[in-house]
Every structure is written in C-alpha cells, then in structure tokens.
Amino acid sequence: MAAAGGTYAPPPAAVMPTLAERVRVVASGLDVLETDRVTCDEIDALLRRLGIPLSQELLGYLSAALDAEGKLVMGFDSLMVLGETFPALLDSMYFRSRDLEEDAKQRDEINRELGVLADLHSQQDHLHAQIERTAFSINSAEAALAQARQGVQRAVEKEARAQEGVEAALHHVSGRSREARERQEGLIRQRGEMRQVVHALDTAKADAREIEEDLRVAVRDVESAVLNVRGLERQLQQAQEALRAKELAAEGLEEKLRHAQHRQRDLEDDYTKHRAPIESIQDDLQHLEDSVSAGVADRSRAESAAALAARELERHRASKDEAEHGVREAKGKV
C-alpha cells in the first residue's frame, strides 16, 4: 500500500486498538455513525484532510461497491470490511485522525493557557492600580496627620500660656494672708469671678476632650484612608474647627485672668490697712490649679492618640509593601 501513504510500521500489538476501535475513530470524521451511510466524496474528503492520497486499489474497491444507480452506500459494517481489506490504510487513517484530535486538544489547552495568562496580566494591572491608590491614600493620610499634630501643638502652646497666667496669679496671692474686713463684699464678688474663671477652665477642659475625640476620629479615618480619603479630610476639618474654638476659649480665659489680676492689684492697695482670712480664695486658686493639671493630662492623652495614629500609618505602609511583594511574585509566576 505504498500509494496509500507509504510504508507504515504499526505499534506493538499489546497497545494496538482493536479493528472496531480503529474503524470507530476513523468513522468519527464521517457521519456514518449517525446516518449509517457514507459516500465516495466523503471518503475522498476525509483522505484529503488526513493527507492520504486515494490509491488505485482503493478506488477500484470503492467502484466495485457502487450500487445499481452508481452510488456508494456504506455503513459501519462495510467500513469494518474495508479496514480488513486495507489494514495499512486503516492504520494510517486511524493514527492521523488521532494525531489531528490530539492537535486540536493541544490547541484548546494552549488557548486556555493564553486566557489564564491574560487574566494574570489583568490582575497585575489591577494590583498596580490598587497600589497607586493606596500610596495616594497614605500620602493624604500623612498630610492630614501632620495638620492634626500642628493643631495639637497650637493647643499645647495656648495651654502653656494659660498655665503661665495662673502661675502669675498664684505668685501675687501667695504673699497675702489676710484681707480687709470692709472689702468682704468685694471678696465675695471676687469669689464669684473666680468661679467664672473655673467655669472657663472647665469649658477649656471640655474643649480638650472634644479635641481628643476628634483625634480619635482622625486615627480611625487614617486606618480607613485607603477606602475613604474624603471622609478623613472632613474629620480633620472638624478637628481644626474644634482647635479654633479652643483658641477662642483660651483667649476668653486670658481676659478673665487679666481681670482677676486687676482685681488683685486693687486688693493689694488695701493690704496695709486691713487684713482678713483669704483661705477661701486660696482654695479656689487651688481648684483652679487642679483644673489646669487636668488640662495637661488631657494634652498627654491627645499626644498618645497622635502617636497611635502614627503607628497605624506605619501599619498601612507595611500593607503597601506586602501588596508590592505580591505583585512581584505574580510577575515572577508570569
């Protein structure tokens, strides 16, 4: 059967499929399994697709199988007989059909791998975009944290000035032991003014607590900066407004202290004439000093909150580094 594809060496008999199996593989390229008939043109087309020329012997065999109307009608059993008559041709058609099927499977597998590779490229691009958004969010968070620290610094400076005023008031009052009895009503009014000063300090303390709350809100916003940077900016704006309110409250406190110093100077003019116990005034001043100490403690808590925000920012940076490492690993796999 040299004309039917040349010399062919079949595989060992232990792995050679049966005749029916080989005929079924060859017939899968035709419609004989569905219609139970095959034409001469279909056989010729199959041989051309497999690259096997139509030999004269096969042509003679097919011509002898024509019916009275000159048509070729062959079913699966007829193909079995054809395979027994031309075994080398059947083997060539079988192995070439199987090779074509395996090539089609390999092309499908390559297409699937190309699809996976395209998905990996898409995921890589998505990771790059996510890293860029994370970097932008971290930069915005760093800027917001710097503004918050500046606001805390301004609050600390205001509080320090208030502390200096209180210390000056204590210095003037510490040398006095008695007041004039005739100025008792004035002392009562002075006590009321001191209570107002204490109330102003309480207000400042409440403002400090509000600032601490705003700083905690700012820390939470730093933690979620990757998802909602605009929300963080709104929280920082609220913190700035709270700081401005505290500055106004501190200015009012300084005015109260200046008024208290003026009243104390008036009392010093009468110091040489009349002396009376001023323990109640000293108690009020001690209460005022305690309130200032509480304000200092509030400032320490605010600084601790700012330090916590800085640690959270470092955690975000570590997350960004992990994301970049993941991208590098994905590139290595590609």
Side-chain angles (χ1 to χ4, degrees):
M1 294 299 298
T7 302
Y8 176 77
V15 298
M16 175 65 74
T18 63
L19 176 63
E21 292 174 345
R22 285 177 286 166
V23 171
R24 188 169 295 278
V25 170
V26 173
S28 64
L30 306 169
D31 61 353
V32 65
L33 299 179
E34 288 78 13
T35 63
D36 196 28
R37 64 183 301 275
V38 63
T39 64
C40 185
D41 293 335
E42 290 174 346
I43 293 178
D44 183 59
L46 177 61
L47 292 174
R48 291 178 183 273
R49 186 167 67 251
L50 298 177
I52 300 175
L54 183 61
S55 65
Q56 293 295 328
E57 294 177 351
L58 178 61
L59 181 60
Y61 178 85
L62 295 176
S63 299
L66 296 177
D67 58 11
E69 298 179 356
K71 296 181 180 180
L72 177 66
V73 178
M74 298 180 67
F76 184 78
D77 294 336
S78 299
L79 290 177
M80 289 282 292
V81 176
L82 177 63
E84 292 175 350
T85 306
F86 301 96
L89 174 62
L90 176 63
D91 291 341
S92 297
M93 295 176 67
Y94 164 72
F95 284 107
R96 292 191 184 185
S97 297
R98 191 184 62 178
D99 292 340
L100 290 177
E101 182 179 358
E102 291 179 355
D103 291 342
K105 291 181 180 179
Q106 290 178 358
R107 284 194 298 271
D108 293 340
E109 184 66 24
I110 291 173
N111 291 332
R112 283 194 296 271
E113 292 178 355
L114 290 175
V116 172
L117 184 61
D119 292 339
L120 289 175
H121 282 296
S122 178
Q123 293 176 4
Q124 180 181 355
D125 295 338
H126 178 70
L127 287 174
H128 279 298
Q130 185 176 3
I131 289 173
E132 292 177 357
R133 291 194 297 270
T134 303
F136 176 77
S137 299
I138 290 176
N139 293 333
S140 300
E142 289 177 347
L145 182 59
Q147 292 179 358
R149 287 178 176 173
Q150 292 176 359
V152 171
Q153 184 63 31
R154 288 195 298 270
V156 170
E157 293 174 357
K158 291 287 185 180
E159 189 174 359
R161 288 196 293 270
Q163 179 68 22
E164 292 175 358
V166 172
E167 290 177 356
L170 290 173
H171 177 73
H172 285 293
V173 175
S174 62
R176 303 179 61 183
S177 62
R178 297 179 182 278
E179 286 291 335
R181 293 181 180 179
E182 291 82 1
R183 304 289 295 181
Q184 185 175 3
E185 295 180 357
L187 290 175
I188 293 173
R189 290 192 299 269
Q190 180 68 24
R191 190 177 296 111
E193 292 176 356
M194 288 299 178
R195 283 196 295 268
Q196 292 178 358
V197 172
V198 171
H199 178 70
L201 287 175
D202 292 338
T203 303
K205 183 178 179 181
D207 293 337
R209 286 195 297 269
E210 292 178 359
I211 292 174
E212 182 181 359
E213 180 63 23
D214 291 335
L215 288 175
R216 284 196 293 267
V217 172
V219 169
R220 289 195 297 269
D221 290 337
V222 168
E223 294 174 349
S224 61
V226 175
L227 301 177
N228 196 352
V229 176
R230 292 182 180 178
L232 177 61
E233 292 175 352
R234 289 195 296 270
Q235 292 295 330
L236 291 175
Q237 184 177 2
Q238 293 177 2
Q240 292 174 355
E241 291 176 355
L243 289 175
R244 286 196 295 271
K246 187 175 184 299
E247 291 176 356
L248 294 176
E251 291 176 358
L253 179 61
E254 291 178 355
E255 182 64 26
K256 292 290 185 180
L257 290 175
R258 285 195 296 270
H259 183 65
Q261 292 173 359
H262 180 70
R263 295 291 296 171
Q264 290 169 3
R265 285 193 295 271
D266 291 341
L267 294 175
E268 287 176 356
D269 295 337
D270 297 333
Y271 176 72
T272 56
K273 297 179 182 180
H274 305 283
R275 295 180 180 179
I278 61 170
E279 288 76 7
S280 61
I281 296 177
Q282 290 178 346
D283 292 339
D284 292 336
L285 291 175
Q286 182 64 37
H287 181 66
L288 180 63
E289 184 177 4
D290 294 340
S291 299
V292 172
S293 299
V296 173
D298 292 338
R299 182 194 66 184
S300 299
R301 287 193 295 271
E303 290 176 349
S304 298
L308 179 61
R311 289 194 296 271
E312 290 299 327
L313 181 60
E314 291 297 330
R315 185 175 66 82
H316 279 290
R317 287 177 174 172
S319 298
K320 175 185 175 184
D321 294 337
E322 291 178 358
E324 291 178 348
H325 181 68
V327 171
R328 288 193 295 270
E329 290 182 349
K331 288 182 177 178
K333 292 180 179 180
V334 174

